[in-house]
Amino acid sequence: DAGITQSPRHKVTETGTPVTLRCHQTENHRYMYWYRQDPGHGLRLIHYSYGVKDTDKGEVSDGYSVSRSKTEDFLLTLESATSSQTSVYFCASTPRGDSGNTIYFGEGSWLTVV
Amino acid sequence: SQELEQSPQSLIVQEGKNLTINCTSSKTLYGLYWYKQKYGEGLIFLMMLQKGGEEKSHEKITAKLDEKKQQSSLHITASQPSHAGIYLCGADYNQGGKLIFGQGTELSVKP
């Protein structure tokens, strides 16, 4: 699998605090994605990036922002965490956005908002 | 997502038995990805299918995409406890690598 690492892997935070999750890839992939996984909903796209400083919203983007200042790093920020954002967050990357490319996922970040 | 339906939601099989998981799309697929997820871990890429009628195999796992490119099946032959986990299908509708996922199939293999 591609070298995708997520940090932190596990975090417990309080409601109202800001949280940043980091995704780091060593494959020089241009496209990167943040998904969240919840029971009954499968994986849903939060935000994605198609290059440095080029990002766009996904299906469930409310309450989240992202930044991509370097090819290898894609940051997901919860400006003010809420209990509904308790979830498992997965980062993914792929070299190009056209069909037929393998899409690799990180190992996930477990976030609990109390 | 209603665009992509995965069945069954859960499956318990005896070790050594064969099994099939299905993934059905409401519209034509540009590609279909299969992943496996072990409890508490990330998604492991299994296979990606693009062409109608395509079939790929890896060890005892075979995935097929139908001719109309709207349905895929994942077949495991002679299941083993190591096959246990959650299997996820992800649909590529040619939207910049963004995938729409089914809800997953939780597979348990009893020794």
Side-chain angles (χ1 to χ4, degrees):
Chain A
D1 280 332
I4 301 178
T5 55
Q6 294 183 225
S7 59
R9 294 289 317 281
H10 298 271
K11 186 174 181 67
V12 179
T13 192
E14 292 187 349
T15 299
T17 60
V19 176
T20 295
L21 306 180
R22 180 186 184 227
C23 178
H24 179 77
Q25 52 101 356
T26 58
E27 302 297 319
N28 201 35
H29 286 171
R30 182 178 168 191
Y31 284 73
M32 296 183 75
Y33 312 83
W34 276 107
Y35 290 85
R36 61 178 287 175
Q37 184 179 35
D38 304 289
H41 291 280
L43 277 90
R44 294 177 292 174
L45 183 68
I46 305 171
H47 280 280
Y48 67 103
S49 170
Y50 43 95
V52 173
K53 297 187 180 178
D54 289 325
T55 65
D56 207 346
K57 296 179 180 179
E59 180 187 358
V60 289
S61 60
D62 286 349
Y64 301 95
S65 62
V66 290
S67 66
R68 185 134 178 240
S69 59
K70 298 185 290 185
T71 298
E72 58 266 34
D73 289 325
F74 191 31
L75 304 180
L76 177 71
T77 297
L78 289 66
E79 301 290 346
S80 177
T82 66
S83 58
S84 65
Q85 293 176 313
T86 292
S87 186
V88 185
Y89 292 86
F90 287 99
C91 174
S93 75
T94 189
R96 299 187 306 272
D98 54 331
S99 295
N101 298 284
T102 302
I103 300 172
Y104 299 96
F105 281 77
E107 293 187 335
S109 293
W110 273 253
L111 177 67
T112 301
V113 183
V114 298
Chain B
S1 168
Q2 292 181 339
E3 292 177 280
L4 196 69
E5 295 288 335
Q6 189 173 340
S7 62
Q9 289 190 352
S10 63
L11 196 52
I12 302 173
V13 299
Q14 201 69 35
E15 182 176 358
K17 295 295 186 183
N18 303 336
L19 63 106
T20 299
I21 298 168
N22 293 301
C23 190
T24 302
S25 172
S26 60
K27 52 187 182 180
T28 302
L29 296 156
Y30 280 80
L32 192 287
Y33 293 74
W34 284 102
Y35 293 89
K36 179 186 176 184
Q37 183 181 22
K38 289 197 169 183
Y39 302 104
E41 299 182 13
L43 279 67
I44 299 168
F45 172 76
L46 295 176
M47 282 170 276
M48 188 267 290
L49 306 163
Q50 264 198 299
K51 300 175 184 176
E54 187 175 11
E55 180 175 320
K56 289 186 177 178
S57 293
H58 176 68
E59 297 180 345
K60 294 185 177 180
I61 301 176
T62 300
K64 301 178 185 179
L65 182 62
D66 73 339
E67 290 288 346
K68 291 184 178 180
K69 295 176 63 175
Q70 286 193 267
Q71 186 167 28
S72 178
S73 60
L74 185 85
H75 184 77
I76 298 177
T77 303
S79 58
Q80 301 170 352
S82 62
H83 288 127
I86 300 171
Y87 289 82
L88 295 157
C89 62
D92 174 8
Y93 295 118
N94 197 28
Q95 295 186 339
K98 294 178 285 183
L99 297 181
I100 302 295
F101 281 90
Q103 293 200 11
T105 296
E106 186 173 355
L107 172 64
S108 299
V109 180
K110 297 202 167 216

